[in-house]
Amino acid sequence: IRACIEEPITINPGETKLIGSGLAIHINDPYITALMVPRSGLGIKKGIVLGNLCAVIDSDYLGEVGVGLWNRSSEPFDINPGERICQMLFVPVMQAEFKIVDEFTHSTERGEGGFGHTGKH
């Protein structure tokens, strides 16, 4: 995805700005979604990542794709017209069906261990 802007936009340290892509989308298939992910070079070398780290574009969204860029570095960064700012992936979506139960009929080694329960000590 490229920045569809008329002139450079500066993103200051710690700041997030929404950058237009000039790309409108309507997937219109509940079994497909689009994911926007950062460009590794911008993230590693310049500290420029997506404001929400990974963006999901739902299949029923209709309109221009805006890219929220976050400058997590200590230096201002200029986004120039036409610059590549992120990547978009189209991925399949499984539509889950849920069943309400009073208790589980089997157990696992992990059990109900919550966040941070990796089994490592």
Side-chain angles (χ1 to χ4, degrees):
I1 303 288
R2 294 179 181 269
C4 185
I5 53 178
E6 297 290 325
E7 56 190 40
I9 294 176
T10 299
I11 306 175
N12 291 309
E15 187 175 42
T16 301
K17 287 199 175 170
L18 188 63
I19 309 296
S21 71
L23 174 68
I25 190 170
H26 184 213
I27 298 169
N28 197 31
D29 182 336
Y31 297 99
I32 299 174
T33 193
L35 298 177
M36 293 192 327
V37 296
R39 297 192 67 236
S40 57
L42 281 179
I44 293 167
K45 296 176 185 174
K46 302 295 183 179
I48 304 299
V49 296
L50 298 181
N52 52 347
L53 304 182
C54 177
V56 175
I57 301 174
D58 297 320
S59 65
D60 62 348
Y61 175 75
L62 175 64
E64 183 180 2
V65 174
V67 181
L69 293 180
W70 170 38
N71 183 349
R72 60 185 175 92
S73 79
S74 59
E75 300 292 326
F77 185 80
D78 291 330
I79 300 294
N80 294 301
E83 185 169 354
R84 295 182 297 166
I85 54 176
C86 75
Q87 299 173 86
M88 183 183 290
L89 309 171
F90 291 89
V91 296
V93 173
M94 293 181 64
Q95 298 292 331
E97 291 184 28
F98 295 96
K99 181 179 178 183
I100 298 172
V101 298
D102 292 324
E103 61 185 47
F104 293 113
T105 58
H106 66 280
S107 62
T108 65
E109 186 176 318
R110 181 175 178 170
E112 293 185 21
F115 294 104
H117 186 79
T118 59
K120 295 182 181 181
H121 299 284

